[in-house]
Amino acid sequence: MKKLVVLSGAGMSQESGLRTFRDMGGLWEEYDVMDVATPEAWERNPELVNRFYNDRRKQLIDAKPNQGHFLLAELEKDFDVHVITQNVDNLHERAGSSKVLHLHGELTKVRSSVDPDLIFELDGWELKLGDKCPKGSQLRPHIVWFGEAVPAMDEAAEIAAQADIFLVIGTSLNVYPAAGLVHYTASSCPIYVIDPERPPISMKGVTFIEEKAGAGMLKLKSLLGQS
Ligand code: OAD
């Protein structure tokens, strides 16, 4: 089976009703990223940061995977599909994708604010300030904030390097190191990009599908010869 590696971003979940970050009406229009997505923000104003992620979690509980997520999961019948996602939602998993690597963390998990390896599933949407891990430290969202290392990056780069086909879907490719993953692919690896707005990729062998995730995945399926 050919290995199909996918780098997904917030646009993948837009049709599920979750807001992207940098589009018109995106989250970073309402919030300053420095106020809610940095370790300094957590130090300075944990109430605001915690409320921001509690709100995201509350919305995720009501959100459902969309056609794009489902079509991608279906491709597992014919391809060895590896999803590398910048998304912190769990919609790929809920649609049935079996190999999902989260580069920027997961909303449904929390972790010790002292030891990044102490990670726990959160029951429900609400993390409260004062909720502590068994070792006594305050729990924080399991999110890779700006300025923090991306622990899954090495594994992601290895997966990208083995791709027979690479798909970029719903990401503006603004945030590194994730945005650089495409450069780990072999020179012979065809690259497909699904996004209504072309993100900046200046490489050869790129096929742009200027559609939303659902319609774009339908087109990709037919391009890959799947009915
Ligand atoms: P962005 O908001 O930067 O980009 C979203 C992309 O999705 C844009 O290229 C849109 O054109 C596209 N898009 C919008 N609607 C779409 C749809 N229905 N179908 C397909 N594409 C659509 O989001 P990301 O690139 O994911 O990190 O952002 C990367 C990181 O920046 C996020 O993981 C987050 C953010 O700050 C952290 O919070 C650590």
Side-chain angles (χ1 to χ4, degrees):
M1 262 192 186
K2 285 193 171 173
K3 192 184 278 251
L4 172 64
V5 179
V6 184
L7 173 65
S8 69
M12 183 90 221
S13 300
Q14 188 268 338
E15 289 164 282
S16 296
L18 301 182
R19 286 158 73 186
T20 62
F21 296 97
R22 294 175 183 80
D23 291 303
M24 221 200 296
L27 283 165
W28 294 158
E29 215 172 70
E30 187 179 340
Y31 298 88
D32 185 332
V33 59
M34 301 312 282
D35 288 339
V36 293
T38 64
E40 293 77 16
W42 177 249
E43 287 287 315
R44 206 170 46 238
N45 192 345
E47 288 81 10
L48 176 66
V49 175
N50 196 43
R51 195 178 335 124
F52 177 77
Y53 289 102
N54 277 344
D55 286 348
R56 308 275 77 72
R57 245 181 250 114
K58 229 188 279 180
Q59 286 171 6
L60 178 57
I61 285 174
D62 294 329
K64 293 186 177 58
N66 64 57
Q67 184 188 31
H69 294 107
F70 285 119
L71 289 173
L72 183 56
E74 269 176 34
L75 284 179
E76 291 195 8
K77 282 190 255 162
D78 299 293
F79 295 91
D80 176 22
V81 181
H82 289 252
V83 180
I84 302 168
T85 188
Q86 298 164 88
N87 296 345
V88 294
D89 65 52
N90 56 5
L91 298 179
H92 281 301
E93 290 91 336
R94 282 163 54 191
S97 282
S98 60
K99 290 173 215 143
V100 183
L101 182 66
H102 285 270
L103 282 178
H104 293 163
E106 291 173 76
L107 266 179
T108 54
K109 295 181 179 167
V110 291
R111 67 168 164 90
S112 153
S113 46
V114 176
D115 181 349
D117 294 327
L118 289 180
I119 301 164
F120 306 89
E121 287 285 337
L122 185 66
D123 200 11
W125 60 267
E126 191 177 20
L127 175 66
K128 295 194 187 82
L129 295 182
D131 285 350
K132 299 205 168 134
C133 85
K135 288 196 174 171
S137 61
Q138 170 67 47
L139 290 165
R140 57 162 266 188
H142 179 47
I143 301 289
V144 175
W145 285 324
F146 284 91
E148 294 187 317
V150 181
M153 191 56 199
D154 287 350
E155 188 181 348
E158 265 174 45
I159 295 169
Q162 293 161 7
D164 296 307
I165 303 167
F166 196 85
L167 167 65
V168 176
I169 180 163
T171 171
S172 63
L173 294 179
N174 259 282
V175 174
Y176 283 81
L181 270 178
V182 69
H183 297 292
Y184 288 85
T185 56
S187 56
S188 57
C189 174
I191 296 170
Y192 294 89
V193 177
I194 298 176
D195 199 305
E197 309 277 336
R198 283 188 185 207
I201 299 188
S202 52
M203 289 167 77
K204 287 193 180 137
V206 179
T207 304
F208 288 98
I209 302 172
E210 290 178 47
E211 299 279 2
K212 290 187 172 187
M217 281 302 302
L218 268 180
K219 279 200 180 165
L220 178 73
K221 261 189 109 172
S222 71
L223 287 175
L224 295 177
Q226 315 298 304
S227 51

